[in-house]
Amino acid sequence: MAAIDDTSEPDGPVRNVHPTLVEAAWLYQADQVRPEDLPMTAAQALAMGMNTPALCELAGLPRHADPRDIRETFEQALEELRIALPLCPITTWPDDTR
């Protein structure tokens, strides 16, 4: 898995967990992460000091929860943390942009 460049502001609210959650957002958007793995990602973010209602809810969801519920809660957590999902999956970049 490639490293993510952390270009967040030094005093930004998601500085400490930015790479973990941003990487998860990219992988999620590229359909490269299983929904059942997202609650553990949320738990790791909580352990690093983040605390939003949706992040707590996501961390508490069981792996066998409805994938639609996991996805919805993950997207809400990202929104609460002001982490935008990429506009298009990394696997669909047009050939002329490389």
Side-chain angles (χ1 to χ4, degrees):
M1 192 176 304
I4 300 294
D5 179 26
D6 183 8
T7 57
S8 64
E9 294 294 319
D11 298 323
V14 294
R15 180 176 182 267
N16 292 333
V17 294
H18 190 266
T20 301
L21 293 175
V22 169
E23 182 177 2
W26 277 94
L27 292 172
Y28 172 81
Q29 197 71 334
D31 210 18
Q32 297 297 309
V33 66
R34 297 179 307 200
E36 62 265 21
D37 293 335
L38 293 173
M40 183 55 72
T41 300
Q44 290 169 341
L46 286 171
M48 294 173 145
M50 296 309 300
N51 189 3
T52 69
L55 196 62
C56 291
E57 181 182 345
L58 180 59
L61 289 175
R63 288 179 58 84
H64 62 273
D66 187 327
R68 292 171 294 197
D69 293 338
I70 293 174
R71 288 185 187 102
E72 180 180 310
T73 308
F74 178 67
E75 291 178 16
Q76 178 62 40
L78 291 178
E79 185 177 312
E80 289 174 1
L81 292 166
R82 293 179 288 196
I83 297 174
L85 281 170
L87 295 178
C88 62
I90 21 183
T91 58
T92 62
W93 287 105
D95 290 333
D96 60 339
T97 62
R98 290 185 213 181

